[in-house]
Amino acid sequence: MKLSRAISYTALGVTVIYVTAILLGAPLLSALRSSKFRQLSDKCLLARQLSLGGLFGAWFGAFVIPFDWDRWWQRWPIPCVFGAVVGGILGCLTSSYKILFSYLEKQRKLEKFLINVPKLKAIIFAEFDADKGPVIRIQIPDFLFDAKRFDTFSNAVIPKPELFHRLIKVNHVENSDGKVYKVIGHPVGIESDSYARGRYIFNVCFVVDKNSQIDCMYEPMVQKCAAYLTQMEKDTRFLSQSQSKLPDLLLEIFKGLNEHGECKIPVTDQTTIYLKLCPSFHGIEPPKVEPYMVPMFTQIPPPNTPNHISKMDVLSQKICPKVDGVCCIKEIAMLVQIDTDLVMRCVRNLHFYGCLTLIPLFMYANTYVATEQLHDFYMNTDLIKTGMTMKDWCERMSPRQYNVDERRAIQFGICHGFVRKLCIYPVSLKKCDMRRIAKLCDGTRSLEDLAVIFAISPVRLLEAVRDDGNFVFISK
């Protein structure tokens, strides 16, 4: 009798509380569904399983209290404590199993990935000598190309200035043993009066087998190595004056990428090199990043928690907490007090590896249209109408009355590809207008590009151009 009454009261209480919470607007069902797809860290998973195990263990332990067995272990709170302990142990065991299974699965995928990845045959460092011309200074791990062989492709490794800061790949390079290789490089020229000819030219090249088909995954690694070395050369003359540390650095990169597919190498107190092969981006160039683009995380949960940030490089540690889907890159640079170009490079790298996406700056003066991926937008002409600005649409549809945040709605549409922003191109009506803004407004530059040129917010620039009255606007 007591047991049935306890079960009835418990079921009634849970039902009433649950239904009341849902009626008051608690998103219990949606939160439950979304939690299935969240990637929890090991510590969070252990804490969750321990908490749930202890909670359910204590709840089930209380079932024996109403029985009239007159045992000492039926007295309150012994059954609940014992049940909580047993439940916590079971929760720890289940979480440990999940963590171990996840670790083994990652290791299996990593081993499978590394088997298919073409191994590096060598890393060579070449530079332009003021007396000898293009020369190879370092070859890791073994001597691969002699001076005679290097002369056959030296023009591609140390090219003319027009090819600086571009990815260059030589698909057929034969060494003295008759073996054929591919050489992937990213030549860099640093201008300064302190160098012999006013410029320091170098190139770090990755060498792979000629028959490899997916060597393109090394392309971003070459570009990133060049960026690291360029910055270290500008800061500490790491290449031109203290080149003795470079062979050990290149050897660590060679071993790390070949054995583990990644490497983390502290070079100086301020610089740590992070490299990781990524199988998902074969031959894809990172996107062009502009100061007025808005970065937004695509992962759930976003990688801006202390657990994620502690594993990032110093620049990402400062930038990621400021990424909120609202602030543009220029605003983030001002918040963290870092040069905009450095922030753009960091965001470009995060976008390349799928951590975030880039969307246009949200303005109520913008015009958005539906794409072919959502035919309902074409069927309902009142939903989004071509030529209607966001401000007019909000005044007409009043999305806030339906608890819809128009900014988040547009971000969602752009990220999923069924909404796109129409770019505004101002065009001057007077050909004789000699002002700089009039000369630049020829229909080839968007409002965001002009805002970068004049170092002004796109909103203020649009207001100024509209108030002038001598411009028309093309949206496309």
Side-chain angles (χ1 to χ4, degrees):
M1 185 66 180
K2 293 182 179 179
L3 178 61
S4 61
R5 185 180 300 174
I7 295 175
S8 301
Y9 288 163
T10 302
L12 180 62
V14 170
T15 304
V16 171
I17 293 174
Y18 192 81
V19 172
T20 304
I22 293 178
L23 292 176
L24 291 176
L28 299 180
L29 295 176
S30 60
L32 181 63
R33 286 194 299 268
S34 62
S35 64
K36 295 179 181 179
F37 303 99
R38 291 181 180 175
Q39 297 179 351
L40 298 177
S41 64
D42 294 344
K43 292 182 180 179
C44 292
L45 179 62
L46 180 61
R48 187 186 71 171
Q49 296 297 101
L50 179 62
S51 302
L52 292 177
L55 179 64
F56 284 106
W59 190 71
F60 281 110
F63 270 86
V64 300
I65 295 179
F67 294 145
D68 54 354
W69 296 341
D70 293 332
R71 297 291 190 270
W72 63 269
W73 44 265
Q74 287 182 270
R75 299 172 186 172
W76 171 265
I78 295 176
C80 295
V81 173
F82 183 76
V85 172
V86 174
I89 293 175
L90 292 177
C92 289
L93 292 176
T94 55
S95 62
S96 300
Y97 170 76
K98 290 182 178 180
I99 293 172
L100 179 61
F101 179 79
S102 176
Y103 173 77
L104 294 177
E105 184 68 16
K106 289 181 180 178
Q107 290 297 114
R108 185 186 65 81
K109 290 182 179 179
L110 178 61
E111 291 176 359
K112 183 179 179 181
F113 167 60
L114 292 178
I115 290 175
N116 297 326
V117 172
K119 299 296 183 181
L120 283 175
K121 299 300 181 182
I123 298 179
I124 62 176
F125 176 80
E127 64 180 8
F128 184 85
D129 188 276
D131 300 323
K132 301 178 182 179
V135 293
I136 295 181
R137 296 295 189 192
I138 302 170
Q139 299 190 58
I140 298 295
D142 300 315
F143 185 82
L144 194 63
F145 301 111
D146 55 24
K148 184 178 180 180
R149 294 290 177 180
F150 178 65
D151 288 340
T152 60
F153 63 97
S154 61
N155 289 334
V157 176
I158 306 295
K160 295 182 178 180
E162 291 79 9
L163 296 178
F164 288 170
H165 307 287
R166 296 176 181 270
L167 187 70
I168 296 178
K169 181 187 293 187
V170 184
N171 287 321
H172 190 95
V173 178
E174 186 176 353
N175 70 349
S176 56
D177 297 334
K179 295 181 180 179
V180 183
Y181 300 97
K182 291 181 182 179
V183 178
I184 308 170
H186 189 267
V188 176
I190 303 176
E191 306 286 342
S192 177
D193 296 335
S194 60
Y195 298 120
R197 297 192 180 184
R199 179 188 292 147
Y200 179 69
I201 306 172
F202 73 92
N203 195 353
V204 177
C205 301
F206 286 12
V207 182
V208 296
D209 190 79
K210 171 65 171 63
N211 297 322
S212 60
Q213 300 296 324
I214 54 175
D215 55 273
C216 50
M217 67 176 60
Y218 284 110
E219 294 174 4
M221 299 298 100
V222 173
Q223 294 173 318
K224 198 169 183 180
C225 277
Y228 275 121
L229 295 178
T230 300
Q231 193 62 41
M232 288 191 291
E233 170 64 19
K234 291 180 179 179
D235 294 341
T236 62
R237 302 292 180 179
F238 181 80
L239 301 177
S240 58
Q241 295 182 3
S242 57
Q243 208 173 90
S244 58
K245 300 179 181 178
L246 188 58
D248 294 335
L249 173 62
L250 296 181
L251 183 59
E252 289 189 50
I253 294 175
F254 178 84
K255 291 181 177 179
L257 293 180
N258 270 352
E259 296 175 5
H260 308 290
E262 60 182 1
C263 61
K264 176 184 176 183
I265 307 170
V267 183
T268 63
D269 295 336
Q270 296 81 20
T271 305
T272 301
I273 293 180
Y274 296 86
L275 297 175
K276 183 176 181 179
L277 292 174
C278 188
S280 304
F281 302 95
H282 303 326
I284 299 178
E285 286 291 327
K288 183 180 179 182
V289 179
E290 299 293 346
Y292 286 101
M293 288 182 173
V294 178
M296 185 173 68
F297 287 117
T298 56
Q299 298 181 1
I300 300 177
N304 56 1
T305 60
N307 184 41
H308 289 94
I309 292 177
S310 61
K311 302 176 183 178
M312 299 179 181
D313 58 272
V314 177
L315 188 59
S316 299
Q317 288 179 2
K318 295 182 179 180
I319 293 173
C320 286
K322 305 299 181 183
V323 175
D324 56 1
V326 177
C327 295
C328 65
I329 294 176
K330 190 175 183 65
E331 292 172 336
I332 293 175
M334 295 174 63
L335 290 174
V336 298
Q337 297 182 351
I338 298 177
D339 184 67
T340 305
D341 291 336
L342 292 177
V343 178
M344 290 168 59
R345 284 167 52 186
C346 179
V347 170
R348 187 170 181 256
N349 189 54
L350 291 172
H351 184 280
F352 180 78
Y353 287 105
C355 297
L356 51 79
T357 186
L358 295 169
I359 60 176
L361 180 66
F362 180 86
M363 297 189 300
Y364 284 96
N366 288 346
T367 302
Y368 298 91
V369 295
T371 64
E372 296 180 356
Q373 297 188 26
L374 193 66
H375 295 285
D376 292 341
F377 276 73
Y378 290 107
M379 302 300 294
N380 188 350
T381 57
D382 291 332
L383 197 55
I384 289 186
K385 188 175 181 180
T386 303
M388 182 184 296
T389 64
M390 197 65 199
K391 180 180 179 181
D392 296 336
W393 183 83
C394 290
E395 291 177 351
R396 181 174 181 177
M397 303 299 295
S398 301
R400 297 288 175 143
Q401 293 183 0
Y402 306 99
N403 294 325
V404 175
D405 187 336
E406 61 273 8
R407 182 191 296 271
R408 297 297 181 186
I410 291 298
Q411 288 178 348
F412 180 83
I414 292 177
C415 289
H416 289 79
F418 59 80
V419 174
R420 70 179 180 89
K421 171 183 170 290
L422 292 180
C423 294
I424 301 174
Y425 293 83
V427 179
S428 176
L429 294 175
K430 296 182 178 180
K431 295 183 179 180
C432 58
D433 196 337
M434 302 305 295
R435 292 177 298 172
R436 186 187 180 197
I437 181 67
K439 293 180 179 180
L440 293 175
C441 291
D442 55 0
T444 61
R445 297 177 178 86
S446 66
L447 185 69
E448 287 78 7
D449 295 335
L450 294 171
V452 174
I453 295 174
F454 289 98
I456 188 175
S457 168
V459 179
R460 293 180 57 190
L461 180 61
L462 180 61
E463 292 175 353
V465 173
R466 279 181 173 172
D467 294 341
D468 186 274
N470 295 318
F471 298 87
V472 294
F473 302 95
I474 300 174
S475 298
K476 62 180 180 180

